[in-house]
Amino acid sequence: MGCGAQDVVAALRAAADTVAEHRVELTDLDRPIGDADHGENMNRGFTALVASLDGGAPETPGAVLKLAATTLISKVGGAAGPLYGTAFLRAATAVGQASELNSAAVVTALRAGLDGVVARGKAEVGDATMVDALAPAVEAAQAATSDGIAAVLAAAADAADAGADSTIPLVARKGRASYLGQRSAGHLDPGARSTALLLRTFAASAGVAR
């Protein structure tokens, strides 16, 4: 069973709820190593996205993802807006005008999103950024392609959780946290945490829809 525009809309609405629920946590994670605004910024962006969806959702998954991209780029401050916006925009481009996505298309979208984040932020695994959550998520998703969309996203979420936790001992080499040098070690990267939260929400939404 494929994933249509309404499934993507449902997943993004669920993501907005998740971001709102974890807003304080994400801001607290950002406080010692960043600008203490990641939770607020993400919540503002996803609240705006829900408002846009309330005004009428696009008719294809790619168009929904493009709406998410433009909204997050315009409404989310700091580094997160351009990074998440680029991820969603690359994903939208990758799936094109398809009316429904299969598991392979979902993997393609995830990989395109990762490529966009890497191109935009110039980070790699080990730099203590959202890439540490997203890169292993994409690899795990790829390995689960034949098992269907829900399995793809569940595998991605599990890998993203582990990847986010892996940032705790790392010394940040990119972003605001990198200014702290060795003092950045010992902190869970907020972007990696929000990436893991979003993927877990998408997996839960896919499980409900299937």
Side-chain angles (χ1 to χ4, degrees):
M1 187 174 179
C3 173
Q6 289 305 312
D7 296 313
V8 180
V9 169
L12 291 172
R13 288 184 181 278
D17 290 339
T18 295
V19 169
E21 179 183 349
H22 292 271
R23 173 180 59 85
V24 173
E25 176 198 345
L26 292 173
T27 292
D28 286 346
L29 287 174
D30 197 31
R31 183 168 287 110
I33 57 174
D35 293 324
D37 59 2
H38 187 58
E40 295 295 340
N41 287 344
M42 291 290 287
N43 189 52
R44 181 171 60 249
F46 275 89
T47 298
L49 175 55
V50 168
S52 295
L53 293 171
D54 286 344
E59 295 183 354
T60 66
V64 176
L65 292 171
K66 185 175 181 180
L67 176 63
T70 56
T71 304
L72 295 179
I73 288 171
S74 65
K75 298 297 183 180
V76 179
L83 289 171
Y84 273 115
T86 299
F88 278 106
L89 189 59
R90 290 286 190 94
T93 301
V95 302
Q97 298 299 313
S99 60
E100 197 169 81
L101 307 181
N102 59 19
S103 58
V106 171
V107 172
T108 296
L110 289 171
R111 188 169 294 281
L114 169 63
D115 290 345
V117 169
V118 170
R120 185 85 191 207
K122 306 295 190 256
E124 58 187 36
V125 172
D127 285 345
T129 72
M130 63 191 292
V131 172
D132 287 289
L134 192 52
V138 171
E139 295 307 313
Q142 179 77 53
T145 304
S146 62
D147 298 326
I149 293 173
V152 161
L153 291 172
D158 288 344
D161 282 339
D165 287 343
S166 78
T167 66
I168 295 173
L170 297 176
V171 174
R173 295 197 293 251
K174 294 290 181 182
R176 180 71 179 236
S178 66
Y179 302 162
L180 298 177
Q182 292 291 332
R183 287 180 295 148
S184 66
H187 297 282
L188 175 62
D189 180 72
R193 174 62 174 152
S194 62
T195 296
L197 286 170
L198 291 181
L199 287 171
R200 180 62 63 194
T201 303
F202 295 158
S205 185
V208 168
R210 297 299 162 263

